[in-house]
Amino acid sequence: PWAIPGTPGLEHRIGGIEKQDGTGNISYDPANHDHMVRTRQAKIDGITVPDLDVDDPHRANTLVLGWGSTYGPITAAVRRLRTTGETIAQAHLRHLNPFPKNLGEVLARYERIVVPEMNLGQLATLIRAKYLVDARSYNQVNGMPFKAEQLADTLRETLRGN
């Protein structure tokens, strides 16, 4: 359990070395380390996050999966494609650890998954590893947001199988 800062006898210790369960003292004991790793994982596993909502009015074969600041450009690009008759779905993650429980089920419904990211593709890597799907990265690492038209062009190519 977390102590309220300043509670006598329950001072918080900060450091990168494993702590002993119950005391907070530094511990090099392998069994304690295993216990503490599993304790932290149980805290994550106990978090309830809402299911992922998918915007897919036309039963598309391609899903654009985003997170963070990509929401606006993805939404604009998908809207542009839909106005030209393309069928494409979009979903936006708000929780990354843990992922929504229905994420695997959602991903399995699509032939193609595109993950635009403003980094080197960390989310796509996690999605591929955890769900064993061919999540295609579209990355931009220049500190600038995606331009909706540029993203729409890339998604259009994906829809055509390129």
Side-chain angles (χ1 to χ4, degrees), residues 3-18:
I4 297 172
T7 302
L10 297 177
E11 291 84 2
H12 183 67
R13 296 181 189 176
I14 298 174
I17 299 175
E18 187 67 84

Side-chain angles (χ1 to χ4, degrees), residues 46-147:
I47 297 171
T48 302
V49 299
D51 279 349
L52 180 64
D53 290 325
V54 181
D55 176 14
D56 186 4
H58 304 105
R59 304 188 121 209
N61 291 325
T62 300
L63 171 69
V64 184
L65 181 66
W67 73 281
S69 65
T70 61
Y71 178 79
I74 288 172
T75 300
V78 166
R79 188 178 307 127
R80 286 175 191 222
L81 291 170
R82 286 179 181 167
T83 61
T84 65
E86 301 285 1
T87 57
I88 190 165
Q90 88 175 82
H92 202 76
L93 290 166
R94 296 191 179 277
H95 304 276
L96 300 178
N97 190 21
F99 282 128
K101 292 201 185 312
N102 72 331
L103 181 56
E105 171 194 321
V106 167
L107 297 173
R109 294 195 310 243
Y110 296 93
E111 292 176 20
R112 290 177 299 275
I113 300 157
V114 180
V115 185
E117 294 184 77
M118 304 285 297
N119 58 39
L120 296 176
Q122 289 90 327
L123 176 60
T125 299
L126 288 172
I127 296 292
R128 282 187 211 109
K130 184 167 177 81
Y131 299 103
L132 302 177
V133 296
D134 182 22
R136 300 176 188 185
S137 289
Y138 177 62
N139 309 97
Q140 179 172 298
V141 189
N142 62 9
M144 300 297 293
F146 286 112
K147 294 194 183 307

